[in-house]
Amino acid sequence: MRLSQLFGKTQREIPADADTISHQLMLRAGMIRQLTAGVYSYLPIALRSMRKIENIIRDEMNKAGGQEICMPVLQPIELWEKSGRGASFGKNLFRLFDRKERELALGPTHEEVVTDLVGRSVQSYRDLPLLLYQIQTKFRDEPRPRGGLVRVREFVMKDLYSFDTDAEGLDISYRKMVNAYKNIFSRCGLPVIMIEADSGAIGGKDSNEFMAISEMGEDEIIYCESCGKAANAEKARSIKAKADNSEPRPMEEVSTPGCKTIDEVCHYLKLDPVNTIKAVFYMADDEFIFVCIRGDIDVNEVKLKNSLHCSDLRLATEEEVAAAGITAGFASPIGLKNIKTVVDESIASGTNFVAGGNKYDTHIKNVNFPRDFKADIIADIALAAAGDGCIHCGAKLLATRGVEVGHVFKLGTFLSEKMGAYYIDANGDSKPIVMGCYGIGIGRLMAAAVEINHDDKGIIWPKNIAPYQIYLCPLFLENPLVTEKAESLYRELQEMEMEVLYDDRNESTGIKFNDADLLGIPLRITVSPRSLEKGCIEVKWRSEKQSELVALDKAIEKIKDMITGK
RNA sequence: CGGGGUGUGGCGCAGUUGGUAGCGCGCAGCGUUUGGGACGCUGAGGUCGGAGGUUCGAGCCCUCUCACCCCGACCA
């Protein structure tokens, strides 16, 4: 490709509304253009990289036994009503009406369609297992798109669905996918870690995310350096500091004037937060929920939501708290009536806590569970934090951030039962197909790769997903020798099917080198009068500082070796 | 949905007490240049996000509205 003809100019200025590195670099490199919030056009450079990624994914999916299909983006709303997930997707589902006023959705994912499809065609256990995938555009009306391609409303995703006769079969499919995913990310030059993840309200047992470690990532990862276990903070469990565990003593009211927060109470009574009970109030599908957790621990709302089996969870407003008859700042679980109470396990494992007195300026000492108050639900709803103990090996946990580039789920039979996807087993019995689903966001993967592989000059593409392999950069084009040599190199490299971006623009050296660095093509070849005088050209890896002189007659061979060998 | 911010040429920005819309980059032409975003001259390009209002006069003041960005909420 001749750079003079490439659609998508580089630009020097950083666009004002991009503040993640990958977004800035992709805009400056002329790769993407935003149309509206969370919706982008992909220009040739970006598309080439995405096609590379897609083809790596295709290759690994096919190797794992996947068959590629293509399913509709436009989906009848009935399908979503049938699965019951229209409600749980809620406003994230793009909805529209056709001319007959029939309601449709733009697919945010394809479990419904694929389950319907497979349910209609699979009849026997002999038809299973089955691995079907597609690389298709998804639509999700995200409340807040952000970070360039990191979170968007229209995006291309590879989604594979596995169909097995039983849980053992699902385990095998799942392992195949995990293995394929590891290969994919490794081939894309993107270091990822696989972590335990929450499967959401609908998922089955197991779920893992593949995270690219990056400060701009949206997810917090809690991990253990000593045993290597890692989990999304939404899911992570940890060993918390020990609370008092002495013999329960009788309750005792104490005056705590103006002490509304745990910090104030602890300071006033000279206590450690570990020995206090914190009350937090939520609305779960419009039901008021009283949550008790130790003063030193934060509530993990995902865990709480899972333990309540609700679809909507949010903090209660001050008005709602007051309406429930609770004295804010001095709330007490003792003597609660007709309010659903969730107690964190941390409360059950300690004694003699300080809790609110349910009247102003009063707390109660020596509160013990379940002696003094009851719980409707006792569960682990604690947010794991850096510094906690690892539940596997006891070492101190660490925290970092990551971009979720892949997610695998064991769905089980929930959807197949809802959608009527059954098969006949060897005994002639009808059984629901056991499902799994496995996704990779293409654009997000590319953004993560840029985020992780760059320097202050620009992108440094991993070789396998680079839009081009070679940046052919002649200097002083008015010199006929330079032009002649560059043109012949371009021709020869193309004949060898090398991917060459040829900077045939009559620009100054600075512009050309800076664009080469910005675009981040792995190998730069410089043709200039200075090196031609020595009978040489220069080659330089984007990832390295030093260039190397290569004799003209050895050039093609050397370039070929560099591209294929390294 | 809550909080914060920004809308002026393709990009980045300035625009004073209300008085003929400017700068840098980029773009087009000509010339000089060229080993890390060169220089001179000439030129094109703007319903100042939109609507309403105040005023002799609004980019600037008032009201409403829309869009985009960031934090949070949300998020298979």
Side-chain angles (χ1 to χ4, degrees), chain A residues 256-320:
Chain A
T256 50
C259 298
K260 289 191 166 188
T261 65
I262 292 290
D263 278 352
E264 287 161 0
V265 173
C266 287
H267 188 253
Y268 186 78
L269 296 176
K270 305 207 165 24
L271 279 173
D272 194 285
V274 162
N275 296 310
T276 63
I277 294 176
K278 177 161 68 180
V280 193
F281 317 108
Y282 286 90
M283 296 300 290
D285 296 340
D286 298 325
E287 182 183 6
F288 188 85
I289 307 290
F290 191 113
V291 174
C292 287
I293 194 163
R294 241 168 52 185
D296 63 316
I297 305 173
D298 287 327
V299 175
N300 179 327
E301 294 187 1
V302 172
K303 288 184 184 176
L304 177 60
K305 193 173 171 182
N306 289 344
S307 73
L308 287 165
H309 301 291
C310 63
S311 62
D312 185 50
L313 181 77
R314 60 173 174 83
L315 280 169
T317 62
E318 281 178 34
E319 293 75 35
E320 286 161 340

Side-chain angles (χ1 to χ4, degrees), chain A residues 354-401:
Chain A
V354 168
N358 209 19
K359 53 186 174 185
Y360 284 109
D361 302 339
T362 307
H363 278 79
I364 299 175
K365 279 164 71 170
N366 303 326
V367 172
N368 288 276
F369 179 83
R371 186 191 71 182
D372 304 326
F373 64 98
K374 292 197 206 35
D376 295 292
I377 297 169
I378 304 169
D380 167 26
I381 52 166
L383 191 66
D388 291 352
C390 172
I391 54 161
H392 302 287
C393 74
K396 265 203 172 166
L397 291 172
L398 299 168
T400 185
R401 298 189 73 79

